[in-house]
Amino acid sequence: MLAFVDESGDTGLKLDRGLSRLFVVARVTFVDPEEALRCETRIDDLRDRLSLPPAFEFHFSHNSRRVRAAFLEAVRPYAFRVHVFAVDKARLLERGEATSPDALYQRAVKELCEDAGPHLTGATVIMDRAGTRQGRTDLAVYLRRHLGAGRHAAIRKLKDQRSESHSLIQLADYVVGVAARALGGDAESARLRAAHLLDKEVTWRVWP
């Protein structure tokens, strides 16, 4: 089993200084490694079909509408599962529950992993190295402390790679990018989610 984790937004709490209202983490899981390879090959082939350079990085927030639609259409036939957990920082501040950026990240990682539950068993978990170092550390600590023993002992490996070198991390970027924008009220992203990702979502949760 292969799992890819990415994030969108930031964990900062000074929203009046232009920081994001939402912090979103998402996980894309392939139960069958061969299916993951087929999906990765399809993404690689898409660059050629769209006349893009071989090293072109599919990045949801940077790509055009045409590229976004083509990417999601290309990956839609493949069997992968999606878990999304979002923190609404404005609600936390209103309720007086916000503490620190690090604590917020740790909570998001914890909740995403707990929502995924048994879907982590046997997984090699791969994170985007471009994400925050603290986030990668928090995920590693949580997995090893809470999911590395007993019935979840089959978690195999945790590693990080640069997204530009791994097409399936780029898939995780697309998933979390669509989720974050859809949650923020973007109509196009909501439409893309409904058309290509909704039937793959195992968990989708906004906290608090």
Side-chain angles (χ1 to χ4, degrees):
M1 184 185 297
L2 294 172
F4 301 87
V5 178
D6 206 356
E7 63 195 59
S8 177
D10 58 77
T11 58
L13 298 171
K14 298 184 184 299
L15 305 190
D16 58 342
R17 298 187 183 178
L19 300 181
S20 65
R21 171 173 178 151
L22 295 169
F23 176 67
V24 187
V25 287
R27 195 177 131 241
V28 173
T29 303
F30 288 87
V31 174
D32 180 2
E34 293 299 321
E35 182 77 344
L37 180 59
R38 287 189 287 269
C39 185
E40 184 176 11
T41 300
R42 181 70 184 89
I43 295 170
D44 293 341
D45 291 344
L46 181 63
R47 295 184 180 88
D48 184 58
R49 186 165 71 81
L50 296 177
S51 300
L52 298 169
F56 179 85
E57 181 177 2
F58 290 105
H59 196 304
F60 184 78
S61 65
H62 298 162
N63 294 163
S64 67
R65 288 186 175 185
R66 179 181 74 92
V67 171
R68 289 174 182 174
F71 182 93
L72 290 168
E73 182 65 33
V75 301
R76 187 169 59 85
Y78 297 93
F80 59 87
R81 299 167 176 164
V82 169
H83 298 268
V84 173
F85 181 80
V87 180
D88 188 327
K89 294 184 289 180
R91 289 186 194 169
L92 278 183
L93 290 168
E94 288 171 3
R95 294 166 55 159
E97 296 181 14
T99 53
S100 70
D102 286 352
L104 189 151
Y105 202 116
Q106 291 163 9
R107 179 64 181 264
V109 167
K110 175 178 180 290
E111 297 292 342
L112 179 70
C113 291
E114 289 189 350
D115 285 352
H119 298 286
L120 277 171
T121 302
T124 293
V125 180
I126 303 166
M127 294 188 72
D128 181 5
R129 190 176 296 166
T132 63
R133 182 176 182 180
Q134 183 63 48
R136 296 196 303 274
T137 300
D138 289 343
L139 180 60
V141 169
Y142 181 83
L143 288 174
R144 288 167 184 150
R145 181 179 299 164
H146 298 280
L147 302 177
R151 63 189 180 92
H152 293 301
I155 291 175
R156 197 161 296 154
K157 188 185 297 184
L158 178 66
K159 58 184 179 179
D160 56 83
Q161 290 185 243
R162 299 292 300 185
S163 61
E164 61 264 29
S165 67
H166 204 307
S167 291
L168 295 181
I169 297 178
Q170 294 169 38
L171 171 59
D173 169 88
Y174 256 67
V175 168
V176 78
V178 169
R181 292 204 180 190
L183 285 166
D186 181 65
E188 179 198 2
S189 298
R191 179 184 61 78
L192 290 172
R193 177 194 173 205
H196 303 292
L197 298 173
L198 191 60
D199 62 345
K200 300 178 182 297
E201 291 171 7
V202 180
T203 60
W204 171 284
R205 188 156 62 98
V206 180
W207 176 77

